[in-house]
Amino acid sequence: MDIVTQTPLNPGDSPLVREALSSVVSRETSATPTAAQTPDGGDGTWPRPSKTRVIAVANQKGGVGKTTTSVNIAAALSMHGQRVLVVDLDPQGNASTALATEHRGDVPDVYQVLVDDLPMADIVKQVPDMPNLYCAPATIDLAGAEIELVSLVAREARLRRALAAYDAIDLDYIVIDCPPSLGLLTVNALVAADEVMIPIQCEYYALEGLGQLLRNVDLIRAHLNPTLKLSTIVLTMYDGRTRLASQVADEVRSHFGDTVLNTVIPRSVRLSEAPSYGQSVMTYDPGSSGAMAYMDAAREIAHRAPVV
C-alpha cells in the first residue's frame, strides 16, 4: 500500500531518522484506506434517534480524552446527517476552541445560562463549515459558577431547565463536555442528561476513581434523575504495542460488558494537533487513525439508539 507522507523529511536526516519518521506517518495516514476505514464508511446518513439523546461525557480524572471524545464523536455524527449540539461545561473551554467557537472576552456563554438565566438560544453558535454542528461555548467565567450556584434555587437542575426551554426539536444529540471534577457543573450535566459516556484511558490509573463516579451516577439516578443510565464506555489512548493497554481493556470489558464500545481510540498525533487549528480531527485529517476510530465509535453509538 502506498503511503502519503505528511511529515517532510530533511535531506540531512540520517537513514534511521528518516525510517522512524516514515513509520510514524504510515501508522497515522494511509493513501487508500479501505471502505471499512474511510471516515464516511460508505454508509451515508445514519439512523436518527426517536428523540434527542442528551449524553454527558464525564470522568473526574483529567487527561483521559473527555473533550477529544466529545468533539470528535459530535463531529462524526454531524457528518452523517445528525444535528448535534455540544455544550462546553468545562471552564477551560477546550471544546469551544476545537470547534472554532469564540469563547473569550464578553462572549455570552454557559456561565450566564446557569447563573443569570440567559436563554440557551442566545449563546448557541453554528460551528464553521459544519452545517449540522452547534456549540454552546464556555469562558473562564464558568470557573466561578461552582461557588455562585450554591446559593441558587434548584442549583443541580439549572442546565436541565435551560435545555428544556431551548427549542431542541430538530436536534438529534446534545453532547455535554464535563469538567474533570465531580462538582456542581458535572452534577448539572448528569441531571440534564439521559446517558453517561465515560472515556477510560488504557493505562494503569484508569479505574482509580471510577467507582466514585459510578456512585455519583447512582445517587443522581436515585434522587434527581431516575432516567439516567451509563450507556457507553470508550477506551481511549490505546497503545497496541503495550501489554498493559490490552490488560486494562480486557479488565474494563470484563466489568462492563456490552457497555464498552468495540472500537478503541488509539494514541494519535493528529488528535492532539487538530484543536490548534480550530478543528476536530474529522476535518483536520480524516484519514488518520484517530479520525477513523472516532468515526467507527460514533457509528456504534448511532446504531445503538432507538430509531424513528
Side-chain angles (χ1 to χ4, degrees):
M1 180 179 293
D2 295 332
I3 302 300
V4 174
T5 302
Q6 296 187 356
T7 304
L9 301 179
N10 190 322
D13 288 337
S14 69
L16 184 61
V17 171
R18 293 171 63 85
E19 182 179 352
L21 286 173
S22 297
S23 175
V24 170
V25 173
S26 67
R27 286 198 303 271
E28 280 295 318
T29 308
S30 62
T32 55
T34 64
Q37 293 175 318
T38 51
D40 64 8
D43 54 1
T45 301
W46 294 340
R48 298 182 66 178
S50 55
K51 67 171 187 173
T52 304
R53 294 176 66 184
V54 184
I55 304 174
V57 182
N59 190 330
Q60 76 271 28
K61 187 178 185 300
V64 299
K66 286 187 298 297
T67 298
T68 301
T69 297
S70 300
V71 166
N72 289 298
I73 291 289
L77 289 167
S78 74
M79 293 167 72
H80 283 268
Q82 314 295 310
R83 292 174 60 84
V84 188
L85 169 64
V86 176
V87 178
D88 191 351
L89 212 58
D90 187 342
Q92 298 174 91
N94 292 337
S96 305
T97 298
L99 296 175
T101 303
E102 183 57 48
H103 63 104
R104 294 178 177 83
D106 297 327
V107 174
D109 75 318
V110 175
Y111 168 83
Q112 290 163 292
V113 170
L114 295 178
V115 176
D116 299 331
D117 293 322
L118 185 71
M120 182 69 75
D122 289 0
I123 72 166
V124 171
K125 301 288 188 293
Q126 183 178 322
V127 175
D129 303 319
M130 301 284 284
N132 290 324
L133 187 57
Y134 303 85
C135 179
T139 70
I140 193 61
D141 291 344
L142 195 56
E146 294 273 5
I147 297 173
E148 296 187 51
L149 283 171
V150 169
S151 61
L152 297 181
V153 175
R155 60 192 180 187
E156 302 93 349
R158 307 283 291 187
L159 181 60
R160 179 169 66 183
R161 188 174 69 180
L163 290 176
Y166 180 63
D167 184 10
I169 191 168
D170 288 331
L171 290 176
D172 297 300
Y173 293 84
I174 298 175
V175 178
I176 307 172
D177 181 33
C178 297
S181 74
L182 292 177
L184 270 174
L185 290 176
T186 299
V187 170
N188 262 269
L190 296 178
V191 172
D194 305 312
E195 307 174 36
V196 185
M197 180 190 301
I198 304 178
I200 296 181
Q201 187 179 8
C202 293
E203 293 192 354
Y204 179 72
Y205 293 118
L207 301 179
E208 287 199 355
L210 185 58
Q212 183 59 52
L213 173 58
L214 295 177
R215 282 191 291 274
N216 276 28
V217 170
D218 287 340
L219 285 170
I220 287 168
R221 185 187 296 119
H223 299 288
L224 296 168
N225 183 5
T227 63
L228 183 65
K229 65 177 180 179
L230 172 59
S231 66
T232 310
I233 291 178
V234 186
L235 294 169
T236 63
M237 303 182 190
Y238 184 86
D239 188 343
R241 298 170 300 179
T242 68
R243 183 181 301 174
L244 177 62
S246 60
Q247 288 175 340
V248 171
D250 290 344
E251 187 171 350
V252 173
R253 291 188 193 282
S254 69
H255 276 84
F256 297 101
D258 292 340
T259 304
V260 186
L261 294 183
N262 294 324
T263 305
V264 296
I265 309 302
R267 287 192 176 276
S268 169
V269 175
R270 298 291 185 259
L271 289 173
S272 302
E273 290 176 349
S276 65
Y277 292 88
Q279 296 183 55
S280 69
V281 76
M282 313 310 301
T283 55
Y284 174 68
D285 188 353
S288 67
S289 59
M292 291 189 289
Y294 271 118
M295 187 63 77
D296 288 341
R299 183 183 293 107
E300 281 192 63
I301 292 168
H303 284 83
R304 287 183 176 194
V307 297
V308 177

